[in-house]
Amino acid sequence: MNLDVTWIHGALGEPALQVHRADDHTYILRQNKAVTYEAPFLYLLVGDDRALLLDTGATAEPEQFPLRATVDELIGDLPLVVAHSHGHGDHVAADGQFADRPHTTIVDRDLEEVRAFFGFGPAPDRLPDETVPFELGGRTLSIIGSPGHHKAAITIYDPRTRFLLTGDTVLPGRLYAFDYPMFLATLDRLVAFAEENEISYVLGCHVEMRRRPGRDFPIGATYQPDERPLEMTVEQLRHVRKAAYEVAGRRGVHRFDDFVVYNEPRQRDLLWLVGKGRLHKLIGRRPR
């Protein structure tokens, strides 16, 4: 599995969207920091009968973010399911680009729509602690309910690549746990799943950490040289769970080498985060 790649990070002359072919049927896409500071990663998994696009990024306009054209170039007229790791705006913005695409299903971000489409059982106000199969044709994914960051968040396991796609739940960056008990339960479930299945990489949707341990880029940064790698290990996943339990009784911001835990962040925590980002923008960091 090829993850030997240097990701676009906001330098001059970079494309709006980077495509990396992990194998002949698996693509990782990254939006440019210069287009949106969120710079989310998207995942395109191709089966014999249909493909799954996980997330559509943070920009709606095809002129700025040609996601539909890129996907069509990669998969032709193969039927497509557009789904989301969760429903926050930086993961659903380009859904509209696929509205008129033939043989395409767009899974709405709404909790009940996600539950019904993937076949999850009932649970109050969130996806249940459940794993369900999802077939692409010769490629059966496992869809794991992963509330905590978002009530309709999912994690996807692909046995072909052995990727565990964790959305915003686990990534080298800021882990916003808005429902902390659910966040802990999800981490327990993901670690247990990783111990029962072979995992090559844990892959989230953002990189926000510098290579220097414990240091994240300021929110709003449009240029991120010297980023940490996107891919994380199962051992790092275990470390996320261990760290999360260590700070379970303390709301607020807690820094670790590979990530930052936001335990049910208070308004002052988020205002401080935004304030530091604005200061960074005011000082200015010109890309090279």
Side-chain angles (χ1 to χ4, degrees), residues 96-131:
Q97 293 188 28
F98 298 89
D100 63 350
R101 186 184 188 277
H103 311 296
T104 297
T105 300
I106 302 173
V107 184
D108 192 270
R109 73 173 84 182
D110 179 75
L111 172 63
E112 290 306 319
E113 293 291 332
V114 175
R115 185 201 312 274
F117 181 81
F118 287 110
F120 284 102
D125 301 323
R126 60 175 175 80
L127 287 182
D129 306 342
E130 186 178 357
T131 299

PDB file of all heavy atoms in Angstrom, residues 96-131:
ATOM      1  N   GLY A  96     -23.392  19.243  -3.451  1.00  0.00           N
ATOM      2  CA  GLY A  96     -24.190  19.718  -4.569  1.00  0.00           C
ATOM      3  C   GLY A  96     -23.571  19.464  -5.925  1.00  0.00           C
ATOM      4  O   GLY A  96     -24.293  19.416  -6.942  1.00  0.00           O
ATOM      5  N   GLN A  97     -22.254  19.301  -5.987  1.00  0.00           N
ATOM      6  CA  GLN A  97     -21.615  19.009  -7.270  1.00  0.00           C
ATOM      7  C   GLN A  97     -22.076  17.667  -7.840  1.00  0.00           C
ATOM      8  O   GLN A  97     -21.949  17.422  -9.049  1.00  0.00           O
ATOM      9  CB  GLN A  97     -20.093  19.020  -7.120  1.00  0.00           C
ATOM     10  CG  GLN A  97     -19.496  20.387  -6.809  1.00  0.00           C
ATOM     11  CD  GLN A  97     -17.976  20.366  -6.860  1.00  0.00           C
ATOM     12  OE1 GLN A  97     -17.365  19.566  -7.568  1.00  0.00           O
ATOM     13  NE2 GLN A  97     -17.347  21.253  -6.092  1.00  0.00           N
ATOM     14  N   PHE A  98     -22.589  16.799  -6.983  1.00  0.00           N
ATOM     15  CA  PHE A  98     -22.988  15.453  -7.414  1.00  0.00           C
ATOM     16  C   PHE A  98     -24.499  15.305  -7.575  1.00  0.00           C
ATOM     17  O   PHE A  98     -24.987  14.217  -7.876  1.00  0.00           O
ATOM     18  CB  PHE A  98     -22.477  14.421  -6.413  1.00  0.00           C
ATOM     19  CG  PHE A  98     -20.979  14.384  -6.314  1.00  0.00           C
ATOM     20  CD1 PHE A  98     -20.302  15.192  -5.418  1.00  0.00           C
ATOM     21  CD2 PHE A  98     -20.239  13.560  -7.145  1.00  0.00           C
ATOM     22  CE1 PHE A  98     -18.909  15.181  -5.335  1.00  0.00           C
ATOM     23  CE2 PHE A  98     -18.851  13.537  -7.080  1.00  0.00           C
ATOM     24  CZ  PHE A  98     -18.187  14.354  -6.173  1.00  0.00           C
ATOM     25  N   ALA A  99     -25.235  16.404  -7.393  1.00  0.00           N
ATOM     26  CA  ALA A  99     -26.694  16.317  -7.365  1.00  0.00           C
ATOM     27  C   ALA A  99     -27.272  15.793  -8.675  1.00  0.00           C
ATOM     28  O   ALA A  99     -28.286  15.077  -8.667  1.00  0.00           O
ATOM     29  CB  ALA A  99     -27.284  17.690  -7.035  1.00  0.00           C
ATOM     30  N   ASP A 100     -26.649  16.120  -9.811  1.00  0.00           N
ATOM     31  CA  ASP A 100     -27.181  15.677 -11.093  1.00  0.00           C
ATOM     32  C   ASP A 100     -26.344  14.560 -11.713  1.00  0.00           C
ATOM     33  O   ASP A 100     -26.509  14.235 -12.888  1.00  0.00           O
ATOM     34  CB  ASP A 100     -27.276  16.855 -12.069  1.00  0.00           C
ATOM     35  CG  ASP A 100     -25.914  17.462 -12.385  1.00  0.00           C
ATOM     36  OD1 ASP A 100     -24.925  17.100 -11.716  1.00  0.00           O
ATOM     37  OD2 ASP A 100     -25.837  18.314 -13.299  1.00  0.00           O
ATOM     38  N   ARG A 101     -25.462  13.956 -10.924  1.00  0.00           N
ATOM     39  CA  ARG A 101     -24.653  12.860 -11.462  1.00  0.00           C
ATOM     40  C   ARG A 101     -25.503  11.596 -11.560  1.00  0.00           C
ATOM     41  O   ARG A 101     -26.133  11.183 -10.577  1.00  0.00           O
ATOM     42  CB  ARG A 101     -23.426  12.604 -10.579  1.00  0.00           C
ATOM     43  CG  ARG A 101     -22.466  11.568 -11.171  1.00  0.00           C
ATOM     44  CD  ARG A 101     -21.304  11.272 -10.228  1.00  0.00           C
ATOM     45  NE  ARG A 101     -20.302  10.427 -10.866  1.00  0.00           N
ATOM     46  CZ  ARG A 101     -20.376   9.095 -10.948  1.00  0.00           C
ATOM     47  NH1 ARG A 101     -21.419   8.452 -10.415  1.00  0.00           N
ATOM     48  NH2 ARG A 101     -19.419   8.405 -11.545  1.00  0.00           N
ATOM     49  N   PRO A 102     -25.545  10.944 -12.715  1.00  0.00           N
ATOM     50  CA  PRO A 102     -26.343   9.720 -12.837  1.00  0.00           C
ATOM     51  C   PRO A 102     -25.846   8.614 -11.905  1.00  0.00           C
ATOM     52  O   PRO A 102     -24.651   8.526 -11.608  1.00  0.00           O
ATOM     53  CB  PRO A 102     -26.144   9.322 -14.312  1.00  0.00           C
ATOM     54  CG  PRO A 102     -25.717  10.584 -14.997  1.00  0.00           C
ATOM     55  CD  PRO A 102     -24.926  11.344 -13.987  1.00  0.00           C
ATOM     56  N   HIS A 103     -26.797   7.785 -11.473  1.00  0.00           N
ATOM     57  CA  HIS A 103     -26.488   6.592 -10.670  1.00  0.00           C
ATOM     58  C   HIS A 103     -25.674   6.967  -9.422  1.00  0.00           C
ATOM     59  O   HIS A 103     -24.701   6.287  -9.084  1.00  0.00           O
ATOM     60  CB  HIS A 103     -25.737   5.553 -11.509  1.00  0.00           C
ATOM     61  CG  HIS A 103     -26.374   5.264 -12.824  1.00  0.00           C
ATOM     62  ND1 HIS A 103     -27.615   4.686 -12.931  1.00  0.00           N
ATOM     63  CD2 HIS A 103     -25.945   5.491 -14.097  1.00  0.00           C
ATOM     64  CE1 HIS A 103     -27.938   4.547 -14.212  1.00  0.00           C
ATOM     65  NE2 HIS A 103     -26.940   5.041 -14.931  1.00  0.00           N
ATOM     66  N   THR A 104     -26.100   8.042  -8.779  1.00  0.00           N
ATOM     67  CA  THR A 104     -25.384   8.535  -7.602  1.00  0.00           C
ATOM     68  C   THR A 104     -26.356   8.735  -6.447  1.00  0.00           C
ATOM     69  O   THR A 104     -27.437   9.323  -6.627  1.00  0.00           O
ATOM     70  CB  THR A 104     -24.671   9.864  -7.916  1.00  0.00           C
ATOM     71  OG1 THR A 104     -23.691   9.637  -8.926  1.00  0.00           O
ATOM     72  CG2 THR A 104     -23.989  10.442  -6.682  1.00  0.00           C
ATOM     73  N   THR A 105     -25.974   8.237  -5.286  1.00  0.00           N
ATOM     74  CA  THR A 105     -26.746   8.424  -4.062  1.00  0.00           C
ATOM     75  C   THR A 105     -25.956   9.300  -3.113  1.00  0.00           C
ATOM     76  O   THR A 105     -24.794   9.009  -2.814  1.00  0.00           O
ATOM     77  CB  THR A 105     -27.035   7.078  -3.378  1.00  0.00           C
ATOM     78  OG1 THR A 105     -27.777   6.247  -4.278  1.00  0.00           O
ATOM     79  CG2 THR A 105     -27.823   7.279  -2.091  1.00  0.00           C
ATOM     80  N   ILE A 106     -26.568  10.376  -2.645  1.00  0.00           N
ATOM     81  CA  ILE A 106     -25.944  11.246  -1.653  1.00  0.00           C
ATOM     82  C   ILE A 106     -26.622  10.993  -0.317  1.00  0.00           C
ATOM     83  O   ILE A 106     -27.834  11.194  -0.178  1.00  0.00           O
ATOM     84  CB  ILE A 106     -26.076  12.729  -2.046  1.00  0.00           C
ATOM     85  CG1 ILE A 106     -25.433  12.979  -3.410  1.00  0.00           C
ATOM     86  CG2 ILE A 106     -25.443  13.623  -0.977  1.00  0.00           C
ATOM     87  CD1 ILE A 106     -25.668  14.374  -3.953  1.00  0.00           C
ATOM     88  N   VAL A 107     -25.871  10.522   0.634  1.00  0.00           N
ATOM     89  CA  VAL A 107     -26.412  10.237   1.965  1.00  0.00           C
ATOM     90  C   VAL A 107     -26.451  11.537   2.754  1.00  0.00           C
ATOM     91  O   VAL A 107     -25.407  12.148   3.007  1.00  0.00           O
ATOM     92  CB  VAL A 107     -25.563   9.181   2.700  1.00  0.00           C
ATOM     93  CG1 VAL A 107     -26.202   8.839   4.048  1.00  0.00           C
ATOM     94  CG2 VAL A 107     -25.394   7.927   1.854  1.00  0.00           C
ATOM     95  N   ASP A 108     -27.623  11.967   3.128  1.00  0.00           N
ATOM     96  CA  ASP A 108     -27.762  13.214   3.867  1.00  0.00           C
ATOM     97  C   ASP A 108     -27.036  13.129   5.200  1.00  0.00           C
ATOM     98  O   ASP A 108     -26.882  12.054   5.774  1.00  0.00           O
ATOM     99  CB  ASP A 108     -29.250  13.516   4.105  1.00  0.00           C
ATOM    100  CG  ASP A 108     -29.481  14.926   4.607  1.00  0.00           C
ATOM    101  OD1 ASP A 108     -29.477  15.117   5.836  1.00  0.00           O
ATOM    102  OD2 ASP A 108     -29.645  15.826   3.760  1.00  0.00           O
ATOM    103  N   ARG A 109     -26.584  14.278   5.696  1.00  0.00           N
ATOM    104  CA  ARG A 109     -25.847  14.309   6.962  1.00  0.00           C
ATOM    105  C   ARG A 109     -26.741  14.030   8.172  1.00  0.00           C
ATOM    106  O   ARG A 109     -26.233  13.773   9.271  1.00  0.00           O
ATOM    107  CB  ARG A 109     -25.185  15.674   7.137  1.00  0.00           C
ATOM    108  CG  ARG A 109     -26.144  16.798   7.480  1.00  0.00           C
ATOM    109  CD  ARG A 109     -25.457  18.092   7.813  1.00  0.00           C
ATOM    110  NE  ARG A 109     -25.130  18.861   6.641  1.00  0.00           N
ATOM    111  CZ  ARG A 109     -24.477  20.028   6.695  1.00  0.00           C
ATOM    112  NH1 ARG A 109     -24.090  20.503   7.862  1.00  0.00           N
ATOM    113  NH2 ARG A 109     -24.225  20.703   5.598  1.00  0.00           N
ATOM    114  N   ASP A 110     -28.040  14.112   8.011  1.00  0.00           N
ATOM    115  CA  ASP A 110     -28.983  13.937   9.113  1.00  0.00           C
ATOM    116  C   ASP A 110     -28.817  12.563   9.761  1.00  0.00           C
ATOM    117  O   ASP A 110     -28.624  11.550   9.079  1.00  0.00           O
ATOM    118  CB  ASP A 110     -30.409  14.097   8.591  1.00  0.00           C
ATOM    119  CG  ASP A 110     -31.450  13.895   9.662  1.00  0.00           C
ATOM    120  OD1 ASP A 110     -31.633  14.797  10.496  1.00  0.00           O
ATOM    121  OD2 ASP A 110     -32.079  12.807   9.675  1.00  0.00           O
ATOM    122  N   LEU A 111     -28.922  12.518  11.069  1.00  0.00           N
ATOM    123  CA  LEU A 111     -28.715  11.286  11.827  1.00  0.00           C
ATOM    124  C   LEU A 111     -29.626  10.168  11.349  1.00  0.00           C
ATOM    125  O   LEU A 111     -29.172   9.033  11.120  1.00  0.00           O
ATOM    126  CB  LEU A 111     -28.947  11.546  13.320  1.00  0.00           C
ATOM    127  CG  LEU A 111     -28.959  10.324  14.232  1.00  0.00           C
ATOM    128  CD1 LEU A 111     -27.619   9.615  14.216  1.00  0.00           C
ATOM    129  CD2 LEU A 111     -29.332  10.738  15.665  1.00  0.00           C
ATOM    130  N   GLU A 112     -30.898  10.445  11.178  1.00  0.00           N
ATOM    131  CA  GLU A 112     -31.834   9.394  10.781  1.00  0.00           C
ATOM    132  C   GLU A 112     -31.544   8.891   9.371  1.00  0.00           C
ATOM    133  O   GLU A 112     -31.713   7.703   9.080  1.00  0.00           O
ATOM    134  CB  GLU A 112     -33.277   9.909  10.893  1.00  0.00           C
ATOM    135  CG  GLU A 112     -33.734  10.105  12.327  1.00  0.00           C
ATOM    136  CD  GLU A 112     -33.549   8.853  13.171  1.00  0.00           C
ATOM    137  OE1 GLU A 112     -33.832   7.734  12.674  1.00  0.00           O
ATOM    138  OE2 GLU A 112     -33.112   8.975  14.321  1.00  0.00           O
ATOM    139  N   GLU A 113     -31.098   9.779   8.483  1.00  0.00           N
ATOM    140  CA  GLU A 113     -30.743   9.357   7.136  1.00  0.00           C
ATOM    141  C   GLU A 113     -29.525   8.435   7.144  1.00  0.00           C
ATOM    142  O   GLU A 113     -29.472   7.429   6.430  1.00  0.00           O
ATOM    143  CB  GLU A 113     -30.477  10.582   6.265  1.00  0.00           C
ATOM    144  CG  GLU A 113     -31.703  11.431   5.986  1.00  0.00           C
ATOM    145  CD  GLU A 113     -32.705  10.731   5.089  1.00  0.00           C
ATOM    146  OE1 GLU A 113     -32.277   9.884   4.290  1.00  0.00           O
ATOM    147  OE2 GLU A 113     -33.914  11.020   5.205  1.00  0.00           O
ATOM    148  N   VAL A 114     -28.533   8.793   7.944  1.00  0.00           N
ATOM    149  CA  VAL A 114     -27.335   7.950   8.053  1.00  0.00           C
ATOM    150  C   VAL A 114     -27.706   6.591   8.639  1.00  0.00           C
ATOM    151  O   VAL A 114     -27.281   5.539   8.132  1.00  0.00           O
ATOM    152  CB  VAL A 114     -26.260   8.642   8.919  1.00  0.00           C
ATOM    153  CG1 VAL A 114     -25.067   7.716   9.145  1.00  0.00           C
ATOM    154  CG2 VAL A 114     -25.804   9.944   8.266  1.00  0.00           C
ATOM    155  N   ARG A 115     -28.510   6.609   9.679  1.00  0.00           N
ATOM    156  CA  ARG A 115     -28.928   5.359  10.319  1.00  0.00           C
ATOM    157  C   ARG A 115     -29.674   4.454   9.324  1.00  0.00           C
ATOM    158  O   ARG A 115     -29.383   3.268   9.196  1.00  0.00           O
ATOM    159  CB  ARG A 115     -29.836   5.677  11.511  1.00  0.00           C
ATOM    160  CG  ARG A 115     -30.227   4.458  12.334  1.00  0.00           C
ATOM    161  CD  ARG A 115     -31.472   4.698  13.161  1.00  0.00           C
ATOM    162  NE  ARG A 115     -31.464   5.918  13.891  1.00  0.00           N
ATOM    163  CZ  ARG A 115     -30.918   6.079  15.100  1.00  0.00           C
ATOM    164  NH1 ARG A 115     -30.317   5.062  15.678  1.00  0.00           N
ATOM    165  NH2 ARG A 115     -30.981   7.245  15.720  1.00  0.00           N
ATOM    166  N   ALA A 116     -30.619   5.042   8.593  1.00  0.00           N
ATOM    167  CA  ALA A 116     -31.437   4.250   7.684  1.00  0.00           C
ATOM    168  C   ALA A 116     -30.622   3.742   6.501  1.00  0.00           C
ATOM    169  O   ALA A 116     -30.775   2.580   6.091  1.00  0.00           O
ATOM    170  CB  ALA A 116     -32.612   5.092   7.195  1.00  0.00           C
ATOM    171  N   PHE A 117     -29.746   4.571   5.931  1.00  0.00           N
ATOM    172  CA  PHE A 117     -29.023   4.164   4.736  1.00  0.00           C
ATOM    173  C   PHE A 117     -28.093   2.997   5.023  1.00  0.00           C
ATOM    174  O   PHE A 117     -28.046   2.027   4.253  1.00  0.00           O
ATOM    175  CB  PHE A 117     -28.231   5.342   4.164  1.00  0.00           C
ATOM    176  CG  PHE A 117     -27.476   4.978   2.917  1.00  0.00           C
ATOM    177  CD1 PHE A 117     -28.124   4.940   1.689  1.00  0.00           C
ATOM    178  CD2 PHE A 117     -26.131   4.633   2.956  1.00  0.00           C
ATOM    179  CE1 PHE A 117     -27.451   4.566   0.536  1.00  0.00           C
ATOM    180  CE2 PHE A 117     -25.446   4.260   1.812  1.00  0.00           C
ATOM    181  CZ  PHE A 117     -26.114   4.230   0.591  1.00  0.00           C
ATOM    182  N   PHE A 118     -27.349   3.069   6.113  1.00  0.00           N
ATOM    183  CA  PHE A 118     -26.375   2.011   6.398  1.00  0.00           C
ATOM    184  C   PHE A 118     -26.986   0.835   7.158  1.00  0.00           C
ATOM    185  O   PHE A 118     -26.355  -0.220   7.276  1.00  0.00           O
ATOM    186  CB  PHE A 118     -25.186   2.579   7.176  1.00  0.00           C
ATOM    187  CG  PHE A 118     -24.275   3.437   6.332  1.00  0.00           C
ATOM    188  CD1 PHE A 118     -24.211   4.802   6.535  1.00  0.00           C
ATOM    189  CD2 PHE A 118     -23.504   2.875   5.328  1.00  0.00           C
ATOM    190  CE1 PHE A 118     -23.373   5.603   5.756  1.00  0.00           C
ATOM    191  CE2 PHE A 118     -22.672   3.653   4.541  1.00  0.00           C
ATOM    192  CZ  PHE A 118     -22.611   5.028   4.749  1.00  0.00           C
ATOM    193  N   GLY A 119     -28.199   1.006   7.680  1.00  0.00           N
ATOM    194  CA  GLY A 119     -28.864  -0.102   8.354  1.00  0.00           C
ATOM    195  C   GLY A 119     -28.506  -0.250   9.814  1.00  0.00           C
ATOM    196  O   GLY A 119     -28.549  -1.361  10.363  1.00  0.00           O
ATOM    197  N   PHE A 120     -28.170   0.862  10.473  1.00  0.00           N
ATOM    198  CA  PHE A 120     -27.932   0.811  11.912  1.00  0.00           C
ATOM    199  C   PHE A 120     -29.253   0.615  12.646  1.00  0.00           C
ATOM    200  O   PHE A 120     -30.320   1.043  12.187  1.00  0.00           O
ATOM    201  CB  PHE A 120     -27.301   2.120  12.398  1.00  0.00           C
ATOM    202  CG  PHE A 120     -25.838   2.271  12.070  1.00  0.00           C
ATOM    203  CD1 PHE A 120     -25.426   3.079  11.026  1.00  0.00           C
ATOM    204  CD2 PHE A 120     -24.867   1.609  12.817  1.00  0.00           C
ATOM    205  CE1 PHE A 120     -24.085   3.223  10.723  1.00  0.00           C
ATOM    206  CE2 PHE A 120     -23.534   1.738  12.516  1.00  0.00           C
ATOM    207  CZ  PHE A 120     -23.137   2.546  11.467  1.00  0.00           C
ATOM    208  N   GLY A 121     -29.168   0.001  13.820  1.00  0.00           N
ATOM    209  CA  GLY A 121     -30.336  -0.155  14.661  1.00  0.00           C
ATOM    210  C   GLY A 121     -30.678   1.128  15.394  1.00  0.00           C
ATOM    211  O   GLY A 121     -29.976   2.134  15.293  1.00  0.00           O
ATOM    212  N   PRO A 122     -31.759   1.126  16.155  1.00  0.00           N
ATOM    213  CA  PRO A 122     -32.179   2.337  16.870  1.00  0.00           C
ATOM    214  C   PRO A 122     -31.279   2.640  18.049  1.00  0.00           C
ATOM    215  O   PRO A 122     -30.696   1.750  18.664  1.00  0.00           O
ATOM    216  CB  PRO A 122     -33.595   1.981  17.332  1.00  0.00           C
ATOM    217  CG  PRO A 122     -33.584   0.495  17.461  1.00  0.00           C
ATOM    218  CD  PRO A 122     -32.681  -0.008  16.366  1.00  0.00           C
ATOM    219  N   ALA A 123     -31.149   3.935  18.322  1.00  0.00           N
ATOM    220  CA  ALA A 123     -30.449   4.425  19.510  1.00  0.00           C
ATOM    221  C   ALA A 123     -30.882   5.867  19.711  1.00  0.00           C
ATOM    222  O   ALA A 123     -31.135   6.572  18.733  1.00  0.00           O
ATOM    223  CB  ALA A 123     -28.927   4.340  19.352  1.00  0.00           C
ATOM    224  N   PRO A 124     -30.994   6.335  20.948  1.00  0.00           N
ATOM    225  CA  PRO A 124     -31.482   7.695  21.184  1.00  0.00           C
ATOM    226  C   PRO A 124     -30.426   8.745  20.841  1.00  0.00           C
ATOM    227  O   PRO A 124     -29.337   8.765  21.400  1.00  0.00           O
ATOM    228  CB  PRO A 124     -31.788   7.695  22.690  1.00  0.00           C
ATOM    229  CG  PRO A 124     -30.901   6.635  23.258  1.00  0.00           C
ATOM    230  CD  PRO A 124     -30.775   5.594  22.194  1.00  0.00           C
ATOM    231  N   ASP A 125     -30.732   9.606  19.870  1.00  0.00           N
ATOM    232  CA  ASP A 125     -29.960  10.828  19.595  1.00  0.00           C
ATOM    233  C   ASP A 125     -28.521  10.599  19.133  1.00  0.00           C
ATOM    234  O   ASP A 125     -27.690  11.490  19.257  1.00  0.00           O
ATOM    235  CB  ASP A 125     -29.942  11.725  20.839  1.00  0.00           C
ATOM    236  CG  ASP A 125     -31.349  12.103  21.269  1.00  0.00           C
ATOM    237  OD1 ASP A 125     -32.187  12.318  20.383  1.00  0.00           O
ATOM    238  OD2 ASP A 125     -31.596  12.166  22.480  1.00  0.00           O
ATOM    239  N   ARG A 126     -28.211   9.432  18.589  1.00  0.00           N
ATOM    240  CA  ARG A 126     -26.851   9.172  18.121  1.00  0.00           C
ATOM    241  C   ARG A 126     -26.864   7.861  17.350  1.00  0.00           C
ATOM    242  O   ARG A 126     -27.836   7.108  17.400  1.00  0.00           O
ATOM    243  CB  ARG A 126     -25.867   9.059  19.290  1.00  0.00           C
ATOM    244  CG  ARG A 126     -26.224   7.935  20.261  1.00  0.00           C
ATOM    245  CD  ARG A 126     -25.214   7.735  21.351  1.00  0.00           C
ATOM    246  NE  ARG A 126     -25.648   6.748  22.314  1.00  0.00           N
ATOM    247  CZ  ARG A 126     -25.575   5.434  22.155  1.00  0.00           C
ATOM    248  NH1 ARG A 126     -25.086   4.934  21.038  1.00  0.00           N
ATOM    249  NH2 ARG A 126     -25.986   4.601  23.091  1.00  0.00           N
ATOM    250  N   LEU A 127     -25.776   7.592  16.643  1.00  0.00           N
ATOM    251  CA  LEU A 127     -25.628   6.261  16.064  1.00  0.00           C
ATOM    252  C   LEU A 127     -25.321   5.260  17.170  1.00  0.00           C
ATOM    253  O   LEU A 127     -24.622   5.581  18.137  1.00  0.00           O
ATOM    254  CB  LEU A 127     -24.505   6.245  15.028  1.00  0.00           C
ATOM    255  CG  LEU A 127     -24.795   6.941  13.697  1.00  0.00           C
ATOM    256  CD1 LEU A 127     -23.605   6.780  12.762  1.00  0.00           C
ATOM    257  CD2 LEU A 127     -26.054   6.403  13.040  1.00  0.00           C
ATOM    258  N   PRO A 128     -25.819   4.036  17.044  1.00  0.00           N
ATOM    259  CA  PRO A 128     -25.590   3.048  18.104  1.00  0.00           C
ATOM    260  C   PRO A 128     -24.164   2.501  18.082  1.00  0.00           C
ATOM    261  O   PRO A 128     -23.413   2.688  17.132  1.00  0.00           O
ATOM    262  CB  PRO A 128     -26.598   1.944  17.755  1.00  0.00           C
ATOM    263  CG  PRO A 128     -26.762   2.048  16.282  1.00  0.00           C
ATOM    264  CD  PRO A 128     -26.653   3.517  15.956  1.00  0.00           C
ATOM    265  N   ASP A 129     -23.815   1.824  19.159  1.00  0.00           N
ATOM    266  CA  ASP A 129     -22.511   1.161  19.270  1.00  0.00           C
ATOM    267  C   ASP A 129     -22.566  -0.130  18.452  1.00  0.00           C
ATOM    268  O   ASP A 129     -22.681  -1.220  18.991  1.00  0.00           O
ATOM    269  CB  ASP A 129     -22.201   0.837  20.736  1.00  0.00           C
ATOM    270  CG  ASP A 129     -22.293   2.065  21.621  1.00  0.00           C
ATOM    271  OD1 ASP A 129     -22.250   3.180  21.085  1.00  0.00           O
ATOM    272  OD2 ASP A 129     -22.393   1.898  22.846  1.00  0.00           O
ATOM    273  N   GLU A 130     -22.432   0.026  17.158  1.00  0.00           N
ATOM    274  CA  GLU A 130     -22.728  -1.088  16.260  1.00  0.00           C
ATOM    275  C   GLU A 130     -21.816  -0.998  15.038  1.00  0.00           C
ATOM    276  O   GLU A 130     -21.394   0.080  14.626  1.00  0.00           O
ATOM    277  CB  GLU A 130     -24.196  -0.994  15.834  1.00  0.00           C
ATOM    278  CG  GLU A 130     -24.709  -2.161  15.021  1.00  0.00           C
ATOM    279  CD  GLU A 130     -26.189  -1.998  14.694  1.00  0.00           C
ATOM    280  OE1 GLU A 130     -26.820  -1.012  15.137  1.00  0.00           O
ATOM    281  OE2 GLU A 130     -26.708  -2.861  13.962  1.00  0.00           O
ATOM    282  N   THR A 131     -21.527  -2.161  14.449  1.00  0.00           N
ATOM    283  CA  THR A 131     -20.774  -2.243  13.202  1.00  0.00           C
ATOM    284  C   THR A 131     -21.639  -2.953  12.170  1.00  0.00           C
ATOM    285  O   THR A 131     -22.179  -4.028  12.442  1.00  0.00           O
ATOM    286  CB  THR A 131     -19.456  -3.005  13.399  1.00  0.00           C
ATOM    287  OG1 THR A 131     -18.654  -2.314  14.357  1.00  0.00           O
ATOM    288  CG2 THR A 131     -18.685  -3.114  12.100  1.00  0.00           C
TER     289      THR A 131
END
